Amino acid sequence: MGLDRTAVVTAALELLDESGLDKLTMRKVAERLGVQLNTVYWHASSKPRLLELMADAMLDGCAAEPLPEPWEERARTLAGRYRSALLAHRDGARVVAGTDVTEDNTLRFADALTGAFLAGEHDPAEAAWRTWALVYFTLGLVQEEQAADGTGGGPESLRRAVTPERYPSLAAAVPHFGGFEDRFVHGVGLIVGGRTREPVRRRV
């Protein structure tokens, strides 16, 4: 059986997990597969294109049924699956954040999440903005979470840097920042259950 795109993406994801995004190259993918470099380029025309395919592969199954019927629970479930998909791969959030993907897994996930907000009787603009807000929030949080993994970063380093004398408001808030899981649940709750935007008033 000849080499296909799935095999190329699978090899790239394996290398990502082993060495991280900064060390991932098209040549290393070719070496992993035991093929010529131009064979990899046949299936992924450039490294940015390969990253798009990897980002889409990460979201495989994120929109799969069963999903909860209540729209709020559906949105929260989809957000949780998205975060888990990003955390499942080293530098997963960095890969996805650097792409503009219009592949099937990504579009199915976006469609399911937008559909949850539409089911909550939000208008299409509100559904779109909440979908983007939830995606951007999750991407940013997971990038921080993955960067802090094993480095001593995150809230603990912030607590050490903040002093009440210099940053009094921040010092009062820092003890309540919590871990990444708490921050994720709280942020998703705000986005899903937050107040609907005010209608835009046009100038006459």
Side-chain angles (χ1 to χ4, degrees):
M1 180 180 292
L3 184 73
D4 61 10
R5 177 179 286 180
T6 299
V8 171
V9 173
T10 299
L13 288 171
E14 290 173 354
L15 288 167
L16 177 73
D17 291 338
E18 291 171 11
S19 304
L21 179 58
D22 294 332
K23 294 183 178 179
L24 176 67
T25 67
M26 301 289 276
R27 185 171 299 280
K28 287 183 178 179
V29 174
E31 291 171 355
R32 169 61 60 96
L33 293 167
V35 299
Q36 297 295 317
L37 183 58
N38 62 356
T39 302
V40 175
Y41 277 109
W42 175 261
H43 295 287
S45 57
S46 64
K47 185 175 178 181
R49 177 57 178 154
L50 177 61
L51 294 177
E52 289 178 357
L53 296 172
M54 292 166 63
D56 188 66
M58 290 180 195
L59 302 192
D60 183 25
C62 279
E65 296 291 349
L67 284 165
E69 185 61 30
W71 74 268
E72 299 100 327
E73 278 305 304
R74 202 181 325 161
R76 290 188 179 94
T77 297
L78 287 164
R81 289 182 182 180
Y82 187 58
R83 178 174 177 242
S84 294
L86 299 176
L87 287 171
H89 293 280
R90 181 173 176 178
D91 294 332
R94 283 182 61 202
V95 172
V96 175
T99 60
D100 184 15
V101 184
T102 55
E103 301 293 328
D104 188 61
N105 292 321
T106 302
L107 296 179
R108 284 181 181 274
F109 171 76
D111 186 70
L113 186 54
T114 305
F117 290 123
L118 290 173
E121 299 185 353
H122 296 296
D123 64 41
E126 181 77 15
W129 293 344
R130 291 194 186 215
T131 295
W132 281 119
L134 199 49
V135 166
Y136 289 147
F137 163 71
T138 305
L139 273 175
L141 186 69
V142 175
Q143 283 187 81
E144 180 185 345
E145 186 171 1
Q146 292 183 316
D149 186 27
T151 67
E156 288 303 323
S157 61
L158 182 61
R159 289 189 183 97
R160 291 193 296 270
V162 172
T163 60
E165 296 78 19
R166 190 170 181 83
Y167 311 105
S169 298
L170 192 56
V174 162
H176 306 284
F177 275 15
F180 289 106
E181 182 69 25
D182 292 336
R183 291 156 65 186
F184 176 73
V185 171
H186 181 69
V188 169
L190 290 177
I191 296 168
V192 172
R195 184 172 61 89
T196 301
R197 66 189 170 90
E198 294 291 337
V200 176
R201 295 183 179 180
R202 299 181 181 274
R203 292 183 178 180
V204 179

